[in-house]
Amino acid sequence: MSQTQVLARKWRPKNFSELTGQEHVVRALGNALEQNRLHHAYLFTGTRGVGKTTIARILAKSLNCEAGITSAPCGTCQACVQIDSGSFIDLIELDAASNTQVDNMRELLENALYAPTCARFKIYIIDEVHMLSKSAFNAMLKTLEEPPEHVKFILATTDPQKIPITVLSRCLQFNLKQIPPVQIAHHLQQVLSKESIPNDIPSIQFIARAAQGSMRDALSLLDQAIAFGEGKIDEAGVRDMLGIIDQGYLFDMLEALAQKDGLTLLSLAGEMEAQCLSFDTVLQELAALLHRLALAQAVPEAISEDTLDSARILALAQRLPPEDVQLFYQIALHGRSDLSLAPDEYAGFTMTLLRMLAFMPDDFSENHQAASTAAPKTQSPDASAIRHSQPVIDQLPQGSAGALSNFNWPELVQQLKLTGMAKMLAQYSEAKAVSVDQIELCIPDVHKHLLEKKYQDKIQTAMQAYFGKPITISFSVGSITGMTPAVLKQREETEKQAQAIATIEKDPIVQELIEQFDAKLIVSSIKPIQK
């Protein structure tokens, strides 16, 4: 029984027209070959699996094809066939990762002085060339400075930064790009069609995304998926194989955020924990979905009908404000880095979701805003509630800079119609000085990245709308007392949590369970009721 050839080898491109995703390199090499403008040394750089050595071998055929130097080698002459099979005597391939020493390079370069046995050019393909030792590079440099006419060097590397500049300057360099998932998916579908293997579009798109720009990795994953699915490829099997999160969870979470439904968010988190899903992977997938949402909002045509869940993405893009999508994306990224610091992964994940919920805009009706703006400036029995719930900046006398006794910035922030990063900037700021038409705010150094002008302008606009008159907001970076809206809100949540725990602990039934059955109260499972 003959051994099945892996797809990455079986479907390796044999000419430039079969290459996927490197059109810029193909065009440049094709023009040079057709015009016979040849260089003695070529360097191909790029991440793994994007086609460096494949292009090197096609170039070797182009240079030695018996039909002549061409951008379209015949593929049938003795030189082309032998290069494809790896048996061409005048093509020497070297893996620098296992041949780093200067002695190996000197031996190779001494042989380069001899004319090719049966070819037009003697060609050396050196893969991972950055692994050569300094002495080996120096030996190569002498040959590159005065190369024999019959020798061509084709170098490949994933790390060009480690190649000496003296070598780089003597090579014609081409940087190969990571291949877009759409192009990978299209190529995989062509391969599966020729292999007559049943498949569906979502599974191919999952594999294309998982390959992270590498066609070789994509074909290896395709091989794995075929074995996993016993000769066929379907979405469920590929999800299991790759450990992909059910996208339904992600959409449901964003729907819950759009509705400000914290209970559903925690319920979804509990379901995912019960399935032992990786919360790091969940946040990674959530960030990827948010990226697609942002694309749908900014460039709708970027979401084609072939895109996974395109209809649901476009629908959700209409519901969530763009600045909220941007904010959620940043919070998801920070949430991933915070997971290792959290008490446990569940706590870190749910805290990330709650942070998204906390920084969403509060709903205040236009009537409420109008009533707040027109609030009386003098104390009266009927206005006492208003005086306790809203700041009184316009009651401060002229020239009272620094007078903060009657000014409550945290309460004002709750009533301003701020969203996204502007709300976050306000939450982490502290009022330093107040006058009749000016407020100076201070933000600690750790949060100074929030000080973008557009966020400051949004706060100033919201303040002017709230008070119905011109107000100037200025910011500084420095030390604060710590009594920011964010800190006060966290303190309030902590107090609520403590009250909830105390209430449960005092419950007669709970006390009886603890006394009779030596039960233990899991404090982390107690959540205060959201009113």
Side-chain angles (χ1 to χ4, degrees), residues 218-257:
L219 289 167
S220 297
L221 287 172
L222 196 63
D223 261 326
Q224 189 179 338
I226 293 168
F228 193 89
E230 299 179 346
K232 66 176 183 178
I233 298 176
D234 58 38
E235 182 179 351
V238 171
R239 279 186 185 279
D240 289 343
M241 182 187 83
L242 297 176
I244 293 174
I245 307 299
D246 184 349
Q247 296 288 297
Y249 279 125
L250 306 179
F251 280 106
D252 289 346
M253 281 193 295
L254 292 177
E255 290 283 0
L257 280 169

Side-chain angles (χ1 to χ4, degrees), residues 334-344 348:
H334 286 297
R336 287 188 69 194
S337 61
D338 288 348
L339 280 181
S340 60
L341 304 174
D344 54 66

Side-chain angles (χ1 to χ4, degrees), residues 440-458:
E440 180 188 340
L441 299 172
C442 185
I443 190 164
D445 186 73
V446 68
H447 296 303
K448 67 180 180 182
H449 61 281
L450 296 170
L451 278 177
E452 290 193 23
K453 187 176 184 303
K454 58 182 178 180
Y455 305 142
Q456 297 182 38
D457 290 346
K458 285 184 178 181

Side-chain angles (χ1 to χ4, degrees), residues 19 69 103 137 170 201 240 363 374 486:
L19 273 167
I69 296 174
D103 292 340
F137 271 125
R170 287 168 173 80
I201 291 177
D240 289 343
D363 286 330

Side-chain angles (χ1 to χ4, degrees), residues 78 103 119 194 206 296 313 372 399 431 447 471 505-506 510 529:
Q78 186 176 10
D103 292 340
K194 293 173 183 176
F206 283 137
I313 288 173
S372 298
H447 296 303
I471 294 172
E505 287 177 338
K506 292 176 182 177
V510 173
I529 297 173

Side-chain angles (χ1 to χ4, degrees), residues 105-368:
M105 183 55 63
R106 281 178 179 153
E107 181 182 355
L108 180 148
L109 296 172
E110 285 172 4
N111 290 330
L113 297 175
Y114 299 105
T117 303
C118 59
R120 191 175 294 111
F121 297 104
K122 181 177 285 189
I123 297 176
Y124 291 88
I125 297 177
I126 305 178
D127 198 13
E128 297 301 348
V129 67
H130 68 273
M131 298 289 287
L132 291 177
S133 66
K134 185 177 179 180
S135 300
F137 271 125
N138 287 336
M140 178 192 289
L141 186 60
K142 293 179 181 178
T143 304
L144 291 178
E145 286 173 342
E146 299 178 5
E149 288 292 327
H150 60 268
V151 172
K152 300 294 180 189
F153 286 95
I154 306 177
L155 315 178
T157 179
T158 54
D159 195 353
Q161 303 294 329
K162 293 182 179 177
I163 300 177
I165 188 65
T166 49
V167 173
L168 285 175
S169 64
R170 287 168 173 80
C171 298
L172 200 59
Q173 186 171 339
F174 297 92
N175 183 32
L176 277 65
K177 302 179 296 185
Q178 287 189 318
I179 306 169
V182 172
Q183 290 185 311
I184 292 178
H186 179 69
H187 183 69
L188 296 184
Q189 285 175 327
Q190 289 183 322
V191 169
L192 290 170
S193 176
K194 293 173 183 176
E195 294 281 336
S196 299
I197 294 173
N199 63 89
D200 56 32
I201 291 177
S203 60
I204 301 307
Q205 291 184 339
F206 283 137
I207 291 173
R209 279 175 51 198
Q212 296 183 329
S214 168
M215 186 63 78
R216 185 176 65 229
D217 285 3
L219 289 167
S220 297
L221 287 172
L222 196 63
D223 261 326
Q224 189 179 338
I226 293 168
F228 193 89
E230 299 179 346
K232 66 176 183 178
I233 298 176
D234 58 38
E235 182 179 351
V238 171
R239 279 186 185 279
D240 289 343
M241 182 187 83
L242 297 176
I244 293 174
I245 307 299
D246 184 349
Q247 296 288 297
Y249 279 125
L250 306 179
F251 280 106
D252 289 346
M253 281 193 295
L254 292 177
E255 290 283 0
L257 280 169
Q259 297 170 20
K260 301 179 187 174
D261 186 351
L263 190 61
T264 298
L265 276 178
L266 293 180
S267 174
L268 289 167
E271 288 181 33
M272 287 185 277
E273 184 183 39
Q275 293 185 34
C276 299
L277 298 179
S278 163
F279 286 125
D280 180 72
T281 303
V282 174
L283 288 174
Q284 182 180 14
E285 289 291 315
L286 183 60
L289 176 56
L290 288 164
H291 169 250
R292 292 195 289 279
L293 279 176
L295 278 177
Q297 291 173 333
V299 191
E301 55 269 24
I303 307 297
S304 66
E305 292 183 1
D306 294 336
T307 304
L308 283 173
D309 300 307
S310 58
R312 198 166 182 185
I313 288 173
L314 292 170
L316 193 55
Q318 297 294 321
R319 295 196 59 198
L320 283 171
E323 57 186 4
D324 282 359
V325 172
Q326 295 291 334
L327 176 66
F328 295 161
Y329 179 80
Q330 290 295 328
I331 292 176
L333 295 185
H334 286 297
R336 287 188 69 194
S337 61
D338 288 348
L339 280 181
S340 60
L341 304 174
D344 54 66
E345 275 213 349
Y346 176 80
F349 177 67
T350 52
M351 195 64 179
T352 300
L353 296 182
L354 293 174
R355 191 175 297 134
M356 293 177 181
L357 199 61
F359 285 112
M360 287 190 72
D362 295 323
D363 286 330
F364 286 91
S365 67
E366 294 298 324
N367 290 339
H368 175 88

